Amino acid sequence: MRSTYKQLYYINRSKVKSDGTTSIMCRITIDGKAVVSSTGLYCRPEEWNSKKGEVKNNRLNGLLDEYKKRVDKTYAELKYETSWRLGQTSNRISQWKSCESTACTRRKKN
């Protein structure tokens, strides 16, 4: 089964704090289902490059890159864990079906 995954970073220009900064938001979409969260990072709206999804400030960009890597790592771990569980479940189901069919053939012979 193929999974789609995307990260989108943006700022909400309508919610600027009194110090002139706004929160950098992250939208994570997996198989068409989206979750939005704040990165905990703030920038001035004029520092934000919406086409690139990054800040003009190098220090903030480094922190944002670290955040992106953590999200990627977490997604990879969840994807691996989920595929492992699905694999284990399908193995158990196939084992159960083979045992069930064997039991059925044994009953028919008696």
Side-chain angles (χ1 to χ4, degrees), residues 9-11 17 19-25 38-49 52-70:
Y9 292 87
Y10 65 96
I11 60 169
K17 296 186 343 180
D19 65 356
T21 61
T22 185
S23 179
I24 300 174
M25 304 297 288
S38 173
T39 61
L41 302 172
Y42 294 85
C43 73
R44 296 187 176 277
E46 58 272 8
E47 294 176 332
W48 183 252
N49 184 335
K52 292 183 178 181
E54 63 184 25
V55 188
K56 294 175 184 172
N57 179 324
N58 287 334
R59 186 185 75 75
L60 270 177
N61 257 346
L63 294 172
L64 190 58
D65 285 341
E66 287 177 24
Y67 187 88
K68 290 177 183 181
K69 287 176 186 174
R70 276 186 298 183

Side-chain angles (χ1 to χ4, degrees), residues 67-79:
Y67 187 88
K68 290 177 183 181
K69 287 176 186 174
R70 276 186 298 183
V71 171
D72 281 336
K73 182 180 177 189
T74 303
Y75 172 72
E77 289 171 356
L78 287 173
K79 188 174 175 183

